Amino acid sequence: MKTLPAPPSPRRPSPDGHADGVSNDEFRAAMSRLAAGVVLVTAREPGLDPDDPAAPAGEDVGMTATAFVSVSLDPPLVMVSLREGSRMDDLLAEQPLWAVSVLAESQRHIAGRFAMKGRISDRLLFEDIPYVRGSASGAPLVGGALATLECRTEQTVRAGDHTLVIGHVLTASLPSTEGGPLTYFRGRYRQLG
């Protein structure tokens, strides 16, 4: 029987203030070893004045996420983690309807496009991506995704520098059965196998 080495003893708080002494880099490196599925979270931003047809229309908003999990079967609940203060975090604080497209391995370009910092407007990001508008949420559902879900926010929880959004699943579909899932591991998008 092989004996594993003892974990390192607790250290003093690191310069970035973590009480247990784990630095941001150490935490990020450890968590990069956890493979995660990649999804595109979308929502429709309401128009400035829904009662005025001349007012600017709402815009579709999207973001890539790897912190997305099933929470409950009865009722069907899912959870996504959003960086506090991000456009999606701000939008879902006001708009309770949103959607998730589980990306296929062939959709790496979509994941990269909606994850980049300093990106162009969301309107341009959606321009050449095939999608249908969800019947329950009005949000874009990406064509060719392995699965799509439409959700209504049931609860939000502040957690450090993120907001955990728990959504009640209103619709679920399987638009594509081709290919495997897109995953994220050690800081890169990957395919299974």
Side-chain angles (χ1 to χ4, degrees):
M1 185 163 114
K2 184 176 178 180
T3 303
L4 297 174
S9 59
R11 299 178 298 201
R12 292 185 177 173
S14 64
D16 52 17
H18 296 293
D20 55 6
V22 176
S23 73
N24 287 346
D25 289 341
E26 290 169 326
F27 180 68
R28 189 174 290 118
M31 295 311 296
S32 76
R33 292 342 191 244
L34 177 64
V38 183
V39 302
L40 182 68
V41 179
T42 57
R44 179 80 178 156
E45 182 177 50
L48 292 179
D49 185 356
D51 298 327
D52 180 2
E59 187 172 67
D60 293 323
V61 177
M63 67 159 267
T64 303
T66 56
F68 175 76
V69 296
S70 167
V71 174
S72 168
L73 184 60
D74 186 17
L77 299 175
V78 293
M79 184 193 74
V80 65
S81 179
L82 307 174
R83 185 176 38 80
E84 187 179 296
S86 67
R87 183 158 185 213
M88 188 62 73
D89 182 42
D90 293 342
L91 176 55
L92 294 191
E94 296 178 15
Q95 163 62 286
L97 298 173
W98 47 283
V100 173
S101 296
V102 178
L103 299 180
E105 59 195 2
S106 63
Q107 296 177 312
R108 179 183 303 210
H109 64 289
I110 295 173
R113 179 184 293 190
F114 284 90
M116 62 179 155
K117 294 182 186 333
R119 64 192 199 189
I120 57 176
S121 79
D122 283 86
R123 181 180 50 78
L124 295 174
L125 292 176
F126 280 103
E127 202 166 71
D128 63 347
I129 294 174
Y131 68 85
V132 297
R133 198 158 296 286
S135 60
S137 67
L141 303 171
V142 176
L146 296 179
T148 59
L149 306 165
E150 292 184 89
C151 306
R152 181 185 62 241
T153 299
E154 291 290 308
Q155 182 179 2
T156 60
V157 178
R158 299 277 306 262
D161 59 1
H162 277 64
T163 302
L164 307 179
V165 180
I166 298 170
H168 186 106
V169 178
L170 305 173
T171 70
S173 64
L174 306 173
S176 176
T177 57
E178 299 299 315
L182 181 61
T183 60
Y184 193 73
F185 179 69
R186 296 182 100 176
R188 292 181 42 211
Y189 296 116
R190 301 179 187 259
Q191 298 173 207
L192 289 182

